[in-house]
Amino acid sequence: MNEFLCSILNGINGFVGNYGWAVVVFTLLIRLVLMPFDYKSRVSMRNMTKVQPQIAAIQKKYAKDQEKMNQKLSELYRKEKINPIGGCLPMLLTLPILYAMFGAMRMVANQNLINQVFAMLQGQEPVLESWLWIKNIWVADSPFASVWPDHNALRMITDASLWQNAFAALGNGAANLPAELGLTMESFASGNLNGTIESIFSFLATQPAYQAMTAGIPGLTNMNLWITSITVMQHYNGLFILPLLAAGTQYLMTLVQPTAPAGDAQQQSTGNFMKWFFPLFSLWICSSYNAIFSIYWVTSNVIASVQNWGINKYLDAKDKKNADVEVSIK
């Protein structure tokens, strides 16, 4: 599945000519495919919300008789034609697709990062893929990330086969790699990969061009921020816009999500926690991962928010129409 989706992403890139825009189109297509599942989940969650007062009344009345409570709840679900797990099931069915999509984007990003690394090892300037304000979409959108991949970016590429495939693709070009590293196919085998990556980084750290492209601004290097330290790069990769957009759009999504019924203190407390946890989590992960992933995250959030708003408006109109029909009949 990963390779299939990866081929789709590469195909879209071949058409639009830029991986950043390819991810936007790719995300839109995936969300369209998953839209029927989202709609079914939204309808089920809405139906559960409608009968929540009846559920609470049953739970209160039969609090000391679990068997009777379950029986009455089952009768209520059958009467209202509700599946208690109907809101979760469609979402669970989409998880394999979403997971494969993450894998496909990670595969494409890692392949391009490895190609940039081999270019640097040959003394060449790596080919960068830009997008709007971002200079290299395979690196995080941040003034704290250099344009050229650093040690952290290399250590995240743990798939030995990607390294070996890229090394094999060099062909005769492998002779241009630094002889002192002694790189072979075996160097990139699973058991040797971590040591090889450390050797590659140690070598790059001695190269003047790499030192210049990954240097921090004097006075803004290793600034302590309680639990971490940051360095503002001279050749920074981005402006930290995508991480902020990821957090903002994640919060926006909570505004169009169904809220817990009044009186359900536990669900309301959980909802309030998630309202702030997910935006902060989005900010953290998009500030530390490559920009192509952040482009997907923001695009997906925007599409999902618009989609949820549209579904809610449609269902509200449908409920109002049904209510008007019932009033007319009465």
Side-chain angles (χ1 to χ4, degrees), residues 76-319:
L76 175 63
Y77 295 147
R78 284 196 300 270
K79 177 184 176 183
E80 300 294 337
K81 299 179 181 179
I82 293 176
N83 184 351
I85 63 172
C88 300
L89 188 58
M91 297 174 64
L92 292 176
L93 293 175
T94 64
L95 285 180
I97 298 176
L98 294 175
Y99 183 77
M101 186 173 62
F102 295 149
M105 288 190 297
R106 182 171 61 246
M107 183 182 298
V108 171
N110 288 346
Q111 286 172 343
N112 282 274
L113 277 175
I114 292 173
N115 291 337
Q116 291 181 353
V117 169
F118 281 133
M120 291 186 293
L121 287 176
Q122 296 177 76
Q124 303 171 2
E125 185 171 335
V127 177
L128 305 180
E129 181 89 18
S130 63
W131 184 77
L132 298 180
W133 64 87
I134 301 168
K135 303 169 185 175
N136 185 3
I137 62 173
W138 315 118
V139 180
D141 172 22
S142 173
F144 315 122
S146 58
V147 175
W148 286 14
D150 60 9
H151 192 203
N152 291 329
L154 269 62
R155 291 175 62 184
M156 293 179 68
I157 311 175
T158 58
D159 189 337
S161 63
L162 292 180
W163 285 96
Q164 290 180 325
N165 291 341
F167 181 78
L170 291 175
N172 296 332
N176 298 325
L177 297 175
E180 58 265 41
L181 290 178
L183 299 177
T184 64
M185 287 290 286
E186 187 62 25
S187 302
F188 300 102
S190 297
N192 302 324
L193 183 58
N194 290 336
T196 300
I197 290 176
E198 295 300 322
S199 298
I200 289 174
F201 175 74
S202 297
F203 173 82
L204 289 175
T206 65
Q207 303 305 299
Y210 186 82
Q211 291 175 351
M213 293 301 296
T214 58
I217 296 177
L220 298 177
T221 302
N222 294 326
M223 296 182 293
N224 290 323
L225 292 179
W226 186 37
I227 60 174
T228 187
S229 62
I230 60 173
T231 296
V232 180
M233 299 295 176
Q234 293 185 29
H235 298 278
Y236 57 83
N237 188 54
L239 303 173
F240 212 74
I241 295 176
L242 283 177
L244 292 175
L245 285 177
T249 54
Q250 194 71 44
Y251 179 79
L252 177 64
M253 287 185 64
T254 65
L255 301 181
V256 294
Q257 294 285 353
T259 57
D264 194 333
Q266 183 176 359
Q267 288 191 32
Q268 288 181 341
S269 176
T270 301
N272 289 333
F273 171 76
M274 294 302 180
K275 180 186 295 185
W276 298 109
F277 170 78
F278 282 117
L280 291 175
F281 175 76
S282 301
L283 179 68
W284 172 73
I285 195 170
C286 289
S287 65
S288 57
Y289 208 48
N290 58 63
I292 191 175
F293 177 78
S294 300
I295 294 171
Y296 155 75
W297 196 290
V298 172
T299 304
S300 181
N301 284 351
V302 171
I303 295 173
S305 296
V306 173
Q307 177 181 289
N308 289 339
W309 176 83
I311 291 175
N312 286 339
K313 295 293 285 186
Y314 171 76
L315 293 177
D316 286 342
K318 187 176 180 181
D319 288 345

Side-chain angles (χ1 to χ4, degrees), residues 64-79:
K64 297 181 180 180
D65 190 341
Q66 187 68 39
E67 184 177 350
K68 190 69 172 179
M69 179 195 300
N70 292 335
Q71 178 186 341
K72 291 296 183 180
L73 288 175
S74 297
E75 292 174 358
L76 175 63
Y77 295 147
R78 284 196 300 270
K79 177 184 176 183

